[in-house]
Amino acid sequence: MKFWKILKSQIEQTLPEWRDQFLSYKDLKKQLKVMCPKDALTPPCLDADELNHFLGLLELEIDKFNGFFVDKEEEYIIKWKELQDRVARAIDSNAELMSLGREIVDFHGEMVLLENYTALNYTGMF
């Protein structure tokens, strides 16, 4: 299966508010096809402007998903500390601990999604 199909499938399965934070792989690939057509008889001769434009697009994509990751990481550090504090306060309440257990499982799921997000974007870049 081609990378774009894998990436598209993962994007569709992730949280809706994350979808526009993934690597714009298809747009970058289109730009590369314009710069380096497959049907050319000679190797592409890229000028500095084309190359700088493409590198600028890559940098924007890296900044986009790196910023998203850093924001989520900060959010998760705060959330984890809050969950730890709530567990410490609820140590004598089984009902509260059960509720917190479900929240911790959900939190773990979000962290796994972030890990997958990072792996997919890294794979798309390299």
Side-chain angles (χ1 to χ4, degrees), residues 49-108:
D49 289 338
E50 283 181 318
L51 188 56
N52 286 333
H53 175 70
F54 185 74
L55 291 175
L57 292 175
L58 282 176
E59 190 172 324
L60 287 173
E61 288 301 305
I62 291 169
D63 289 347
K64 175 179 75 175
F65 59 76
N66 187 54
F68 178 76
F69 178 85
V70 168
D71 289 347
K72 283 295 178 187
E73 182 182 39
E74 184 178 328
E75 177 185 324
Y76 289 170
I77 289 169
I78 293 167
K79 189 171 185 177
W80 177 240
K81 178 63 177 145
E82 288 172 357
L83 286 168
Q84 288 177 318
D85 291 347
R86 287 174 58 200
V87 166
R89 286 191 309 268
I91 204 73
D92 294 327
S93 171
N94 285 340
E96 182 66 20
L97 287 174
M98 289 296 290
S99 175
L100 283 167
R102 285 188 286 275
E103 286 185 53
I104 291 170
V105 168
D106 290 344
F107 177 60
H108 176 264

Side-chain angles (χ1 to χ4, degrees), residues 24-43:
S24 296
Y25 181 82
K26 194 171 184 178
D27 294 336
L28 292 171
K29 189 170 181 180
K30 282 180 187 177
Q31 183 65 34
L32 275 178
K33 284 183 178 183
V34 168
M35 293 168 51
C36 307
K38 282 185 179 180
D39 59 346
L41 297 175
T42 59

